[in-house]
């Protein structure tokens, strides 16, 4: 998937940068490496925000799940921190024409059960996604997947400027094992990566063990225990007390981590995009004036300031993408204009607008601040907190009115941001179920674009239309902050939010 929901308003944010012993990071990729050895050890504990109830990354749609499972599975291709494509299972790739992608698959891979990875497994890893609802948009662009020798040829249904990037989220699975295991497959995974899953407690922890028969360079960390802690300060305390070796932390604990001589600290930018989403198929948000009223009522600057380290945004396209555009059409905070639009639609003190907002972040002070703003213009917004898996399921089924969340882009594909407004991605990236004929036309132009200028022009117009119709209110992005054991080195931390310990070690 091109984009993964963030948990903490963020699962994501993030992506993956490398830490290299810096107390303050600007490197987009580095290696975490600090301090003097205090005695080597071969296991580490990593704190994430949530441990979901499904370990299949294609189903989970969670950055935390992807971070765990990138140690268990390999993918077609990977990305460096600047989103350049680098080899994965595919060692080479080419696009002989605008509807064909050819991958040359590397040799020597095998699954954890000892079976060699075959070209049939690679083809099946794509084809099986046809049965995964969250991959419907991805599969809709694929006409066929065929293999010959060590080459996989993908035929697209039409030209797609970002198609190859989508394969960065295709995990290689065993066809034989998946078909034999059935529904048990997702939570008893067999991959080709350097680690196997030895324990899984949904909602609590996942334990990975280095695979002794891994055919490539051996890992230096024997056991990785991923555990869930939602509260930001509790994450930092876990690292400070030695209960964990690595954690993404909140901005409030930044100085504590920087000044702690026992810890290494890293910070860097992210592709995290926070938002308020409104279901355009349900009352009252099928009305553009109500949606614009919500946007005028959202005090982005004040609400974002509640959480240190956040920066307000004005587009669902990350600023680091060349297609980013700041549209003058997006409503700026103005309660009077919000009130006027509501009154125009018949809502006022004698007939207040009422609706329910969803969150998956426990007590959410930012959503509560929005609730307080709305009360001043006679809008009664109830807040309902859902378990993350339930939140995702109900969201995809169009059961909500308004929700808050955030996600990160893991592939650097500008189409994934624009899919927030494309009908072909209903329930996946387009979680507001928004449609606009002109946007559909423009999205097709971006997809078929053969030049950067053509892509940017069409993407700009989409952002202008979306800012006028405002199915989503872009809210904030944020820096990502990490604290870790001083002796932990070579951790890869991407701007996308993915974190890899494949090459990590403890001094």
């Amino acid at each position: 998937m091109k984009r993964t929901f963030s948990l903490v308003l963020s699962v994501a944010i993030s992506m993956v940068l490398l830490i290299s012993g810096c107390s303050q990071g600007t490197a987009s990729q580095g290696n975490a490496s600090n301090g003097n050895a205090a005695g080597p050890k071969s296991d580490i504990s990593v704190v994430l925000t949530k441990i979901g109830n499904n370990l299949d990354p294609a189903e989970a749609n969670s950055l935390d799940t992807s971070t765990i499972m990138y140690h268990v599975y390999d993918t077609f291709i990977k990305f460096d921190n600047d989103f350049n494509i680098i080899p994965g299972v595919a060692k080479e790739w080419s696009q002989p024409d605008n509807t064909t992608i050819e991958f040359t698959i590397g040799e020597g891979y095998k699954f954890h059960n000892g079976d060699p990875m075959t070209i049939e497994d690679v083809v099946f890893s794509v084809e099986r996604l046809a049965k995964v609802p969250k991959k419907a948009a991805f599969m809709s662009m694929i006409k066929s997947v065929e293999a010959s020798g060590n080459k996989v040829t993908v035929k697209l249904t039409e030209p797609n400027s970002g198609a190859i990037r989508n394969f960065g989220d295709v995990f290689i699975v065993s066809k034989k094992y998946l078909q034999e295991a059935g529904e048990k497959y997702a939570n008893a995974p067999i991959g080709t990566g350097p680690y196997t899953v030895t324990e899984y407690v949904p909602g609590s922890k996942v334990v990975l063990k280095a695979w002794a028969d891994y055919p490539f360079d051996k890992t230096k960390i024997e056991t990785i225990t991923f555990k869930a802690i939602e509260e930001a300060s509790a994450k930092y305390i876990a690292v400070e007390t030695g209960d964990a070796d690595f954690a993404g932390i909140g901005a409030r604990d930044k100085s504590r981590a920087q000044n702690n001589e026992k810890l290494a600290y890293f910070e860097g930018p992210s592709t995290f995009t926070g938002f308020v989403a409104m279901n355009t198929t349900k009352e009252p948000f099928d009305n553009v004036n109500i949606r614009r009223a919500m946007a005028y009522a959202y005090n982005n600057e004040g609400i974002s300031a509640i959480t240190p380290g956040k920066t307000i945004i004005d587009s669902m396209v990350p600023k680091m993408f060349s297609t980013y555009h700041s549209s003058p059409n997006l409503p700026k905070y103005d309660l009077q204009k919000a009130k006027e639009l509501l009154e125009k639609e018949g809502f006022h003190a004698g007939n207040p607008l009422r609706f329910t907002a969803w969150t998956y972040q426990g007590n959410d002070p930012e959503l509560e601040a929005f609730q307080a703003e709305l009360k001043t213009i006679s809008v009664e917004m109830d807040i309902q907190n859902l378990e993350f898996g339930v939140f995702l399921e109900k969201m995809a089924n169009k059961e909500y009115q308004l929700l808050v969340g955030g996600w990160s882009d893991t592939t650097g594909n500008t189409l994934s941001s624009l899919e927030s407004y494309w009908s072909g991605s209903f329930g996946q990236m387009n979680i507001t179920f928004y449609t606009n004929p002109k946007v559909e036309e423009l999205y097709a132009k971006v997809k078929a674009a053969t030049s950067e200028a053509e892509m940017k022009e069409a993407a700009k117009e989409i952002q202008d239309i979306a800012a006028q119709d405002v199915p989503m209110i872009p809210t904030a992005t944020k820096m990502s902050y990490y604290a870790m054991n001083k002796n932990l080195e070579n951790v890869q931390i991407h701007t996308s939010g993915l974190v890899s310990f494949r090459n990590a070690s403890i001094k």
Side-chain angles (χ1 to χ4, degrees), residues 413-431:
N413 184 1
T414 193
L415 284 172
S416 66
S417 298
L418 300 179
E419 282 180 15
S420 298
Y421 314 112
W422 176 53
S423 64
S425 190
F426 278 171
Q428 299 160 72
M429 266 59 80
N430 186 347
I431 61 174

Side-chain angles (χ1 to χ4, degrees), residues 234-460:
K235 292 180 183 178
Y236 173 74
I237 291 171
V239 180
E240 183 180 63
T241 59
D243 189 45
D245 296 287
F246 182 95
I249 63 173
R252 288 187 176 91
D253 293 308
K254 169 182 172 178
S255 60
R256 293 175 66 186
Q258 286 177 307
N259 296 324
N260 191 326
E261 295 181 354
K262 296 180 180 180
L263 301 179
Y265 168 78
F266 178 82
E267 70 177 60
S270 74
T271 61
F272 176 73
T273 305
F275 54 77
V276 173
M278 292 165 280
N279 186 343
T280 63
T281 68
K282 271 185 177 287
E283 292 184 346
F285 301 113
D286 55 348
N287 183 325
V288 66
N289 281 338
I290 300 298
R291 298 198 301 269
R292 288 185 65 79
M294 294 303 100
Y296 277 121
Y298 196 87
N299 183 359
N300 207 339
E301 185 173 347
I303 292 174
S304 296
I306 293 172
T307 304
K310 284 197 171 181
T311 302
I312 63 174
I313 57 176
D314 55 8
S315 173
M316 294 304 295
V317 177
K319 285 188 176 181
M320 62 186 70
F321 288 12
S322 65
T323 48
Y324 162 78
H325 167 60
S326 177
S327 175
N329 296 342
L330 186 68
K332 301 295 191 291
Y333 177 59
D334 188 327
L335 282 177
Q336 183 58 36
K337 286 185 178 180
K339 185 177 180 180
E340 290 171 0
L341 282 172
L342 290 170
E343 289 177 346
K344 182 178 180 181
E345 300 304 322
F347 296 104
H348 45 73
N351 181 37
L353 175 67
R354 295 184 175 93
F355 62 88
T356 298
W358 287 2
T359 182
Y360 52 84
Q361 302 169 62
N363 294 327
D364 187 339
E366 294 180 11
L367 187 56
E368 290 170 358
F370 185 36
Q371 181 185 51
E373 291 279 358
L374 291 174
K375 282 183 178 179
T376 67
I377 53 173
S378 302
V379 175
E380 298 178 7
M381 180 178 77
D382 292 328
I383 298 175
Q384 185 175 3
N385 183 41
L386 302 177
E387 186 275 327
F388 187 57
V390 174
F391 174 94
L392 290 177
E393 181 180 0
K394 288 180 173 289
M395 174 194 70
N397 289 333
K398 301 185 181 181
E399 296 180 31
Y400 78 98
Q401 291 179 290
L402 178 147
L403 60 80
V404 296
W407 51 35
S408 290
D409 192 296
T410 61
T411 65
N413 184 1
T414 193
L415 284 172
S416 66
S417 298
L418 300 179
E419 282 180 15
S420 298
Y421 314 112
W422 176 53
S423 64
S425 190
F426 278 171
Q428 299 160 72
M429 266 59 80
N430 186 347
I431 61 174
T432 67
F433 306 96
Y434 166 78
T435 57
N436 181 298
K438 184 62 176 177
V439 169
E440 298 290 306
E441 176 187 328
L442 291 164
Y443 179 84
K445 284 186 178 181
V446 176
K447 187 162 63 172
T450 56
S451 72
E452 181 77 7
E454 185 181 4
M455 182 182 294
K456 289 172 70 174
E457 182 59 31
K460 174 181 180 295

